[in-house]
Amino acid sequence: MSPFTGSAQSTEKWRHLRLATDDGVATVTLARPEKLNALTFGAYADLRDLLAELSRERSVRALVLGGEGRGFCSGGDVDEIIGATLSMDAARLLDFNRMTGQVVRAVRECPFPVVAAVHGVAAGAGAVLALAADFRVADPSARFAFLFTKVGLSGGDMGAAYLLPRVVGLGHATRLLMLGEPVDAAEAERIGLISELTPESQAPARAAALARRLAEGPALAHAQTKALLTAELDMPLAAAVELDASTQALLMKGEDYAEFHAAFTAKRAPEWRGR
C-alpha cells in the first residue's frame, strides 16, 4: 500500500459480503441468498468501504461483483430499509441516500475495472450496481428492473438518471426509469444494457475470465481509460482532447509503454507491470 493513501489497516472480515482475491482479481459476492441478496444499511456501507480499501491498497487489478443463490441482487431490503426509513427525519434520510450514491461513485471511481456477473434478478439498487460496473456479463435468466417509481420514489436514484441514458440512450432510459418494468436478458442485450450474454449459468465463469484477462493486461492503462471515460462524459471536446493529451504524455513516461516497445522489438509478449 502507498504510505500516502491511508492510515487504517485492511479489514480482515466483512460482515455483509464475501471477498476473495486471487493474483490481482477480487471477487465480491453479495451473500444473502435467502433474501435474493437484498441490501441492508450494513451491506451498502461494506461495499463503499471495501472499494475504498481496495483502491488504496493497489493490489487489485480487476473485480468481479456477483450474487449468491438464485439472483444477483433484489435491491434494498423492504423491511430493513424501506420500513426503517419511514421513521427517519430528513437529515438521516439525506445521509442514507448520500451513502447509496457513494457506493455507485466508488464503483465508477475505483482504479480497476469492475465486472458484474448477473443472473436472475437485478432490481432497484441491484440494477444500479450492475449499471455502474464497467462490464455486465449476464446469462439468459437475468432480468433488470429499475423499480424506484414503483415504490413512489424518483427513478433517478443512486445516479441512475445520469448513468442509464449514457449506456442505453435517453429513450430507453426514460422507459426503464419511468415505468419500472422488468427487462429480460435478450432485451437488455438489444439495447446495450449488458456487455455479454452467456449460455445458461455461465455468467460467473465468463465474468471471471474477463476479469482475469483485464488483470493480466496493462493495469495503469486500464485505470486511466476508466477515469477518462467517466471524466469526459460532460466535457466539451476541447477539454477532453487536452485531458487525453496530458494523460498520454504521462503514460508515455511509464514502464509499461517502454515495456511494449522492448517486447515488440524482441518479438515476445509484454510483461505488464502496471507502472
Side-chain angles (χ1 to χ4, degrees), residues 7 24 67 88 103 122 151 159 225 256:
S7 59
M88 291 183 183
V103 175
V151 301
T225 301
D256 280 350

Side-chain angles (χ1 to χ4, degrees), residues 88-108:
M88 291 183 183
D89 61 23
R92 292 184 69 198
L93 290 171
L94 184 56
D95 285 343
F96 164 64
N97 283 286
R98 282 175 171 162
M99 177 177 70
T100 65
Q102 287 165 358
V103 175
V104 170
R105 285 189 60 185
V107 174
R108 292 302 316 144

Side-chain angles (χ1 to χ4, degrees), residues 228 241-254 257:
L228 292 180
V241 296
E242 179 62 23
L243 182 58
D244 288 349
S246 300
T247 301
Q248 296 294 54
L250 289 172
L251 290 176
M252 285 174 176
K253 297 297 290 182
Y257 187 63

Side-chain angles (χ1 to χ4, degrees), residues 151-222:
V151 301
L153 297 175
S154 164
D157 195 28
M158 296 173 62
Y162 178 88
L163 291 171
L164 193 58
R166 289 163 169 80
V167 173
V168 303
L170 180 60
H172 290 307
T174 301
R175 171 171 59 92
L176 299 183
L177 295 182
M178 197 81 72
L179 299 179
E181 294 176 347
V183 177
D184 64 20
E187 172 72 357
E189 182 183 36
R190 185 185 73 82
I191 65 176
L193 183 55
I194 61 175
S195 312
E196 179 186 353
L197 182 59
T198 77
E200 190 71 39
S201 303
Q202 291 300 303
R206 296 284 275 269
L210 175 57
R212 172 55 56 199
R213 174 184 171 186
L214 290 162
E216 291 175 352
L220 186 58
H222 290 157

